[in-house]
Amino acid sequence: MLHMHKNMVAAFIALLSLFALPSAAHARLQCVTYARQVSDVQLSGNARDWWSHAEGRYDRGHAPKVGAVLAFAGTRAMPYGHVAVVHKVVDDRHILINHANWSRPGMVERGVLAVDVSAAGDWSEVRVWFAPTRSLGLRPSTAKGFIYPRTVTASAAATASAG
């Protein structure tokens, strides 16, 4: 019985240690850092530069795929750009994304709606769920497209060759 009690105490202490993270872990999480942590796209620099940095390293395109990174352009309202990881493709114009630093500084959001509002249906204009207003953003954001990690490209190629 004492051995089981010691195991329970050790498990409880281990659980508490998860909440006692160093102060650096409480720093505001940026979208680039978050995207690198949760995706297989490993680029550096500001989000606005990811599209160009991906050239020759990753496939890029205008169709959403799970695991791809949606790269937003730098704009007056968003000078450093933004990146988000596709969590789920709902249909050609609706996806769910995981990202950080959108609705509030450092806030991580998972499974939020992003909608292609471009006239051409090419994801060049996107509206994203904005938590403070509990609605899609009031203005569309300019996007460059999707950066596909090699794992997504390889699985798509395998599916195509099998079919």
Side-chain angles (χ1 to χ4, degrees):
M1 184 72 156
L2 183 60
H3 182 348
M4 189 167 101
H5 177 69
K6 284 182 182 179
N7 287 343
M8 288 176 60
V9 170
F12 182 72
I13 290 171
L15 181 62
L16 284 178
S17 70
L18 293 175
F19 299 103
L21 297 173
S23 60
H26 296 290
R28 291 183 176 166
L29 190 59
Q30 299 297 315
C31 64
V32 165
T33 305
Y34 180 77
R36 270 197 310 265
Q37 289 176 357
V38 301
S39 81
D40 290 329
V41 175
Q42 299 298 303
L43 295 169
S44 59
N46 291 318
R48 69 178 176 224
D49 301 322
W50 274 38
W51 184 256
S52 61
H53 289 177
E55 187 174 6
R57 294 182 65 189
Y58 296 96
D59 288 341
R60 301 177 302 171
H62 299 284
K65 297 177 185 176
V66 172
V69 172
L70 177 56
F72 291 83
T75 63
R76 179 183 291 225
M78 204 168 47
Y80 297 107
H82 187 70
V83 288
V85 180
V86 178
H87 172 72
K88 180 178 182 178
V89 177
V90 178
D91 60 35
D92 289 348
R93 294 247 184 183
H94 299 84
I95 60 175
L96 301 181
I97 58 173
N98 297 337
H99 63 161
N101 207 37
W102 184 267
S103 290
R104 280 199 312 264
M107 178 181 178
V108 172
E109 297 174 283
R110 294 179 184 90
V112 298
L113 184 63
V115 179
D116 173 17
V117 294
S118 67
D122 63 1
W123 287 89
S124 59
E125 294 287 326
V126 181
R127 288 183 59 202
V128 177
W129 179 261
F130 188 62
T133 62
R134 295 181 181 209
S135 65
L136 289 174
L138 297 176
R139 61 175 162 62
S141 297
T142 303
K144 300 282 190 171
F146 297 92
I147 302 168
Y148 307 116
R150 288 176 193 88
T151 52
V152 168
T153 306
S155 63
T159 302
S161 66

